[in-house]
Amino acid sequence: MPLWECNVTTVTLTPYEWQTITTERLSLRTLTEADIPALHSWMSDPEVVRYMLYEPRSLEVVTQKVAEYSSSTRLAAAGDYVQPAIVVDGRAVGTMYLKIESEDDLTAEIGWALAREAQGKGYAREAATAILELAFGTLGLHRVFAELDPRNLASVALCERLGMRHEAHFVENMWFKGEWADTGIYGMLDREWTAARG
Ligand SMILES: CC(C)(COP(=O)(O)OP(=O)(O)OC[C@H]1O[C@@H](n2cnc3c(N)ncnc32)[C@H](O)[C@@H]1OP(=O)(O)O)[C@@H](O)C(=O)NCCC(=O)NCCS
């Protein structure tokens, strides 16, 4: 055996095909065409998308995005992602996001967004907890991180509530909506998730 192979231990991601997740107050399910009006109502809201990587979206763009998101259902390799609807009382009040960043490093990125009227009720936390359970439990990932604009205090607070660690703060690393903006990184490891869950 060549020397460079001696210390190689393989870590593997368990491939996953998206299935609806149900929690106490909501469900996370694949977006459908019927969700387009609900999604458009908040994806076109300047306040909701203030710190998102896009400008308020037209109905046409939302229609296109729903088609894209709903066809991405497998998590097996870098670049694979799911973006299920957060459904409360039958309405898609937001979306969660989980993208495999590296299958070799068992790392994924998590993201979230909620319509204004659905914020401040603990829905994002409930949905994110279910996604973290999927990431660490079902997929067997090692690390999940979130990237955000540090001015987005609601997103920072959510990371902290979930028990994610502040890992990095990049200063003016990004030209964002007409100005230089900072980026914050929050992360969590599988062992930290297990410890937090008791
Ligand atoms: C980031 C975002 C998802 C956070 O949503 P959120 O609703 O504030 O987050 P949570 O689900 O953790 O809810 C926490 C709030 O609900 C309250 N709450 C009410 N009932 C609750 C319950 N049963 N359980 C838990 N929290 C509850 C909490 O007290 C807290 O209120 P506070 O913010 O006044 O302290 C939301 O602000 C958002 O969608 N922003 C726009 C999109 C965006 O910027 N996305 C992130 C890009 S990085």
Side-chain angles (χ1 to χ4, degrees):
M1 182 190 295
L3 184 62
W4 50 266
E5 278 187 6
C6 287
N7 287 325
V8 174
T9 311
T10 312
V11 287
T12 50
L13 164 73
T14 307
Y16 178 78
E17 187 63 34
W18 176 263
Q19 287 166 35
T20 298
I21 297 174
T22 304
T23 67
E24 208 181 313
R25 296 181 297 165
L26 55 87
S27 66
L28 294 168
R29 61 139 173 84
T30 303
L31 285 159
T32 71
E33 274 182 26
D35 298 319
I36 291 169
L39 244 67
H40 179 242
S41 74
W42 60 263
M43 283 187 165
S44 62
D45 181 340
E47 199 172 302
V48 172
V49 305
R50 169 69 186 90
Y51 295 112
M52 310 278 285
L53 294 174
Y54 56 84
E55 298 291 349
R57 284 175 168 162
S58 65
L59 187 61
E60 197 183 6
V61 172
V62 172
T63 303
Q64 202 182 307
K65 292 294 170 189
V66 166
E68 266 175 46
Y69 300 158
S70 59
S71 63
S72 183
T73 55
R74 187 169 167 78
L75 296 172
D80 288 353
Y81 73 94
V82 289
Q83 188 150 353
I86 302 171
V87 181
V88 176
D89 297 331
R91 186 172 166 84
V93 295
T95 59
M96 287 301 302
Y97 174 72
L98 187 73
K99 179 179 150 207
I100 306 298
E101 187 70 14
S102 163
E103 74 243 45
D104 294 336
D105 299 326
L106 298 181
T107 296
E109 179 180 2
I110 190 169
W112 37 64
L114 279 177
R116 259 197 267 181
E117 70 273 12
Q119 295 174 13
K121 296 178 175 151
Y123 293 146
R125 183 185 186 170
E126 192 167 322
T129 300
I131 291 289
L132 289 171
E133 188 58 49
L134 169 74
F136 292 121
T138 311
L139 300 177
L141 293 177
H142 173 60
R143 176 172 170 266
V144 174
F145 69 93
E147 268 193 37
L148 48 76
D149 186 317
R151 293 173 295 179
N152 189 350
L153 299 182
S155 204
V156 167
L158 175 56
C159 287
E160 288 171 349
R161 266 184 226 116
L162 291 167
M164 299 176 86
R165 263 176 303 101
H166 185 209
E167 290 187 332
H169 184 123
F170 297 109
V171 178
E172 294 190 16
N173 65 322
M174 196 176 173
W175 181 251
F176 178 69
K177 299 189 175 178
E179 60 183 334
W180 289 112
D182 296 0
T183 299
I185 309 280
Y186 282 77
M188 179 176 257
L189 300 177
D190 46 1
R191 63 170 179 273
E192 293 169 328
W193 176 249
T194 305
R197 302 291 278 167

